[in-house]
Amino acid sequence: ASISNSQNMAYHNGSVSLTGKDESSIYSFAGAVGVAKKAGIGASVAFNFIMNDIAATIENSNLNVDGDVTLHAEQAAEIWTMSAGGGGADKVAVAGAISVNEVTSDIDAHITDSTIDATGTVSLTAKDSCDIRALAGNVAGAGKVAVGASISYNGINDTVLAYIRDSIVYSRLSDVLINASADSSVISISAGGQASGKVAVGGSVTISTITNEIQSYIDNSTVDADGSVAVSSLDGLFLLLISGVVGGAGTAAVGVSNTTLVNVNVVEAYI
């Protein structure tokens, strides 16, 4: 949503509101089961990707507004996924499950190269909300050897910007409010179980990377309000990462699990 290259536009007895919003939802299931006399193999892969470019902008324009000016850009993305693999055989069973989920988006609310003269509130909001729920699991059973592996990877890499640049903005009777925020939530479970008469080997790995850039600012601009001028950036994160393995065998059972989190967010608010 945008206004661009509009000169000497007057809005009397009314407000200007620009909204760009995306609500992407993915629900996926991948499963495989292999059963055989000698060797049973089951493997599944779930891959989910969301990439959005959401904007609410005023560029190279001159607006006179008898009311509010509101720019709102928002993403509300969610991924629900399950990947499961099972294998069974008299001799050798192999089971695997992989779940890969990625959200990479740009959310942008800005005023650039413009003059805005409003009597009411001038508000710029860029908001990001991402939820990932992922399960990867495997079960393998064999008379001699059982092998299983589960891997879950989840990534959120969003850029959230709200700003005024190279502009003149007046709120003659109210406030100028600039806010950028991100709220990420990841619940990821990777698990496996193996049973064999002789040897059982299992592994599970959960990896999550959160690398968001959240910025709100005023740059090279004149901003004048009868009330407040507020510039704020917020970052919220909830994580529940679980990985586990259960193995049983007559001779040897080996299980390995790992949970890794990489969280490198940039959160800035400045004038």
Side-chain angles (χ1 to χ4, degrees):
S2 66
I3 296 175
S4 62
N5 300 316
S6 297
Q7 301 300 320
N8 300 317
M9 299 295 294
Y11 299 85
H12 299 293
N13 300 318
S15 298
V16 173
S17 179
L18 300 175
T19 300
K21 185 174 183 179
D22 180 83
E23 297 177 328
S24 298
S25 297
I26 296 176
Y27 301 88
S28 70
F29 172 76
V33 176
V35 179
K37 184 70 175 179
K38 293 183 178 181
I41 300 174
S44 64
V45 178
F47 177 78
N48 305 289
F49 184 65
I50 294 176
M51 183 172 69
N52 290 316
D53 189 356
I54 307 161
T57 64
I58 297 176
E59 299 175 340
N60 192 31
S61 297
N62 187 343
L63 307 181
N64 293 295
V65 182
D66 187 13
D68 301 329
V69 176
T70 303
L71 281 66
H72 185 92
E74 180 178 355
Q75 171 178 254
E78 59 177 0
I79 298 174
W80 294 72
T81 181
M82 176 185 293
S83 179
D90 289 342
K91 292 185 178 181
V92 179
V94 179
I98 299 175
S99 175
V100 178
N101 310 288
E102 182 83 21
V103 180
T104 302
S105 297
D106 294 327
I107 302 97
D108 183 3
H110 70 249
I111 296 173
T112 58
D113 301 306
S114 299
T115 298
I116 309 297
D117 191 343
T119 59
T121 300
V122 179
S123 175
L124 291 79
T125 303
K127 182 178 180 181
D128 180 32
S129 175
C130 291
D131 295 324
I132 296 178
R133 306 290 184 262
L135 171 64
N138 73 87
V139 176
K144 291 185 177 180
V145 179
V147 179
S150 298
I151 300 173
S152 177
Y153 171 78
N154 308 285
I156 299 175
N157 180 25
D158 291 341
T159 301
V160 188
L161 303 176
Y163 61 92
I164 297 173
R165 186 174 63 203
D166 299 327
S167 297
I168 300 172
V169 176
Y170 296 110
S171 173
R172 298 195 177 275
L173 300 176
S174 191
D175 307 316
V176 176
L177 308 175
I178 305 171
N179 176 259
S181 65
D183 188 5
S184 303
S185 175
V186 177
I187 298 177
S188 179
I189 300 173
S190 178
Q194 297 78 39
S196 173
K198 291 187 177 181
V199 178
V201 179
S204 65
V205 177
T206 299
I207 301 172
S208 295
T209 62
I210 314 295
T211 55
N212 290 329
E213 180 183 353
I214 307 148
Q215 291 184 325
S216 59
Y217 60 89
I218 298 172
D219 180 46
N220 193 34
S221 298
T222 298
V223 177
D224 190 1
D226 181 64
S228 301
V229 176
V231 181
S232 60
S233 294
L234 303 173
D235 178 35
L237 176 62
F238 173 80
L239 293 171
L240 177 60
L241 309 177
I242 299 174
S243 63
V245 176
V246 176
T251 302
V254 179
V256 178
S257 63
N258 173 263
T259 298
T260 300
L261 167 65
V262 178
N263 182 22
V264 184
N265 288 344
V266 176
V267 184
E268 295 179 326
Y270 61 89
I271 298 176

